Amino acid sequence: MSIDTARFATRAVHAARSQPSAPPRATPIYLTAGFEFDDFDHAADHFGTGNGFGYTRTGNPTVRAVERQLAALESGADALLVATGQAAVATALLTVAGAGDHIVSSAHIYEGSRGLLVDNLARLGIETTFVEDIADPDAWRAAIRPSTRALFAESIANARNDVLDVSAIAAVADAAAIPLIVDNTLATPSLLRPLEHGAAIVVHSASKFLAGHGSVLGGVVVDDGRFDPALAGHNAPHLVLPARGGGPSVAARHGGLARIAYARESVAPRFGATPSPLNAFLIGQGAETLRLRVREQSRNALAVARWLAESHAVESVDYAGLPSHPDHATASRYLDGGFGSIFTVTLRGGLPAARAFVEGVRIFTHMTHIGDVRSLVLHPASTSHASRSDEERARAGVHPGTVRLSIGIEDPDDLIEDLAQVLQRTKEVAA
Ligand SMILES: *Cc1c(COP(=O)(O)O)cnc(C)c1O
């Protein structure tokens, strides 16, 4: 029976079945739960080897194309796309650590990552030690135990704008035969590629600069492909011991790519934060223009930060692009083509001034997001950092009068005009 002669309800679901077509130049969106097997043996081979595509939770051609694109941008060997940045951090950490293991993390990280470490991973038996002085390699070294499975830090950290000395901390990780995992969301591979400086794994919230349009969420794990079983196997028994049922180990099957292969086969599809192929497409579209946006946003951010630093309504500006910032030299050494576009400004007049600021801006959008083409503002002390104590907030650079800015691609003169009118108002409430 052919589809043409089938009945109405059958035609409805089968008549559009995909046909070979002309090769599309843009990445096609394979919005499908799964893929048809050629025959009996093809299905068995897919389940046995993981090769090809079977079900979108374990692989999808649109997702794969964007993974190749993001791996190339980060100078990585391979990448794994997941549903959110939070899922990327969780996947990377669960790829290297299990119950009884230990992680050493920068104390200056995204609040969602911190919550994952102190609440969720702790309940799974993974303990974390936080390093406060992240510029000091000895502080990292001193926190490492025999059970430590990774070092974790952000390339540029919010809110103090700390810039990581990647090669110095990567050397500490190498000496302990464990990976340095860097959350590179704020720097983006346009400014800094941590794998080129010795980090082993990079993670991103692709919801931010990689997409850039603020329309979708996504996350990515990028691996350097340099896992060495002889050097690091004792810290990763799950990669070097025979598989369940006695088959070859992950390292035997995937060599240097063992970590990302394990993340792809055994972590991401089991915990299940699979990206939608449509979202993957939108992230890939965004990433094509990453360099143009980040260059423009960095230029705008520097102009805005310089202007703010001169204002009488402002107490301090924490931006690594300003020579006054403690990490300016490190930033100048690592960042290529700008200093990023996210920073904090602390207003004179404390909380009332901050309230007047977020309520008075016209071009800036008041929301919890960063890395968008639009300029955004948020008051961290009453939102992202509300659950921390005053002392913890102060150590993180979050004061009652601190607002976080994410500078977009608008004309910088319009941004400065908006800030001028709003600082007039903050001065009135502070007076
Ligand atoms: C936003 C963000 C995350 C979490 O990403 P989502 O896509 O929101 O899940 C992780 N790390 C950093 C540095 C972020 O800014």
Side-chain angles (χ1 to χ4, degrees):
M1 186 180 66
S2 84
I3 292 304
D4 297 340
T5 58
R7 290 162 190 82
F8 183 85
T10 306
R11 294 203 307 275
V13 292
H14 288 284
R17 189 171 194 161
S18 60
Q19 299 289 331
S21 57
R25 180 58 191 86
T27 305
I29 304 168
Y30 284 88
L31 204 56
T32 177
F35 305 87
E36 192 171 344
F37 294 118
D38 296 339
D39 54 31
F40 190 88
D41 291 334
H42 180 211
D45 178 70
H46 172 73
F47 273 79
T49 64
N51 292 339
F53 298 104
Y55 188 55
T56 281
R57 179 157 48 69
T58 56
N60 175 286
T62 309
V63 172
R64 196 73 195 110
V66 176
E67 288 173 342
R68 281 201 308 272
Q69 180 189 13
L70 298 180
L73 292 186
E74 278 291 3
S75 301
D78 197 8
L80 172 72
L81 196 71
V82 289
T84 64
Q86 199 67 38
V89 175
T91 298
L93 294 174
L94 290 169
T95 292
V96 299
D101 291 340
H102 174 250
I103 290 163
V104 178
S105 172
S106 160
H108 303 281
I109 55 171
Y110 180 69
E111 280 295 300
S113 302
R114 188 176 165 279
L116 175 73
L117 290 164
V118 300
D119 296 330
N120 309 88
L121 295 191
R123 289 191 61 216
L124 297 179
I126 301 168
E127 204 188 328
T128 302
T129 300
F130 289 97
V131 173
E132 190 62 44
D133 184 5
I134 57 173
D136 178 10
D138 288 334
W140 289 89
R141 209 172 284 122
I144 293 175
R145 307 173 186 172
S147 60
T148 304
R149 296 293 175 253
L151 307 185
F152 179 68
E154 296 180 1
S155 51
I156 303 180
N158 176 40
R160 297 191 320 188
N161 234 236
D162 313 72
V163 178
L164 189 70
D165 186 343
V166 182
S167 59
I169 308 309
V172 175
D174 278 347
I178 53 175
L180 169 63
I181 304 174
V182 175
D183 183 332
N184 198 32
T185 301
L186 267 69
T188 84
S190 185
L191 300 181
L192 169 65
R193 291 173 294 282
L195 301 183
E196 293 178 0
H197 299 278
I201 298 171
V202 160
V203 295
H204 276 274
S205 168
S207 325
K208 315 289 171 53
F209 290 99
L210 295 181
H213 35 60
S215 311
V216 297
L217 303 190
V220 67
V221 180
V222 188
D223 193 279
D224 70 354
R226 294 196 292 256
F227 175 75
D228 182 343
L231 275 178
H234 62 291
N235 285 325
H238 58 300
L239 302 183
V240 297
L241 293 177
R244 199 161 13 98
S249 70
V250 185
R253 285 188 292 120
H254 296 283
L257 289 165
R259 277 184 310 241
I260 192 92
Y262 182 82
R264 186 185 303 288
E265 290 174 357
S266 296
V267 184
R270 302 261 174 75
F271 287 92
T274 307
S276 160
L278 177 60
N279 290 4
F281 170 82
L282 289 167
I283 290 163
Q285 288 279 292
E288 290 177 359
T289 59
L290 179 71
R291 192 169 200 79
L292 306 178
R293 286 183 283 108
V294 169
R295 232 185 235 160
E296 195 72 9
Q297 285 174 270
S298 295
R299 208 175 5 232
N300 286 354
L302 187 59
V304 168
R306 280 183 177 146
W307 184 86
L308 283 168
E310 296 294 311
S311 167
H312 295 302
V314 167
E315 202 163 284
S316 61
V317 178
D318 283 321
Y319 183 50
L322 297 179
S324 57
H325 191 279
D327 288 349
H328 182 65
T330 309
S332 303
R333 188 148 59 90
Y334 279 101
L335 305 181
D336 168 30
F339 295 93
S341 68
I342 294 152
F343 62 91
T344 54
V345 48
T346 300
L347 305 166
R348 290 193 204 284
L351 189 64
R355 177 188 285 272
F357 188 102
V358 299
E359 290 180 348
V361 285
R362 292 174 193 150
I363 292 178
F364 282 78
T365 304
H366 179 201
M367 68 183 290
T368 174
H369 183 47
I370 53 172
D372 198 296
V373 292
R374 290 157 278 262
S375 292
L376 314 174
V377 60
L378 187 73
H379 180 246
S382 60
T383 58
S384 56
H385 291 66
S387 67
R388 312 290 293 272
S389 70
D390 286 348
E391 195 227 321
E392 284 176 322
R393 275 197 291 266
R395 235 185 300 135
V398 173
H399 308 282
T402 301
V403 292
R404 182 189 71 201
L405 303 181
S406 175
I407 304 298
I409 61 171
E410 302 95 334
D411 190 304
D413 291 341
D414 287 330
L415 297 175
I416 288 171
E417 255 177 50
D418 194 23
L419 293 170
Q421 67 82 20
V422 83
L423 289 185
Q424 201 51 47
R425 297 170 60 149
T426 68
K427 272 195 278 194
E428 283 158 19
V429 301

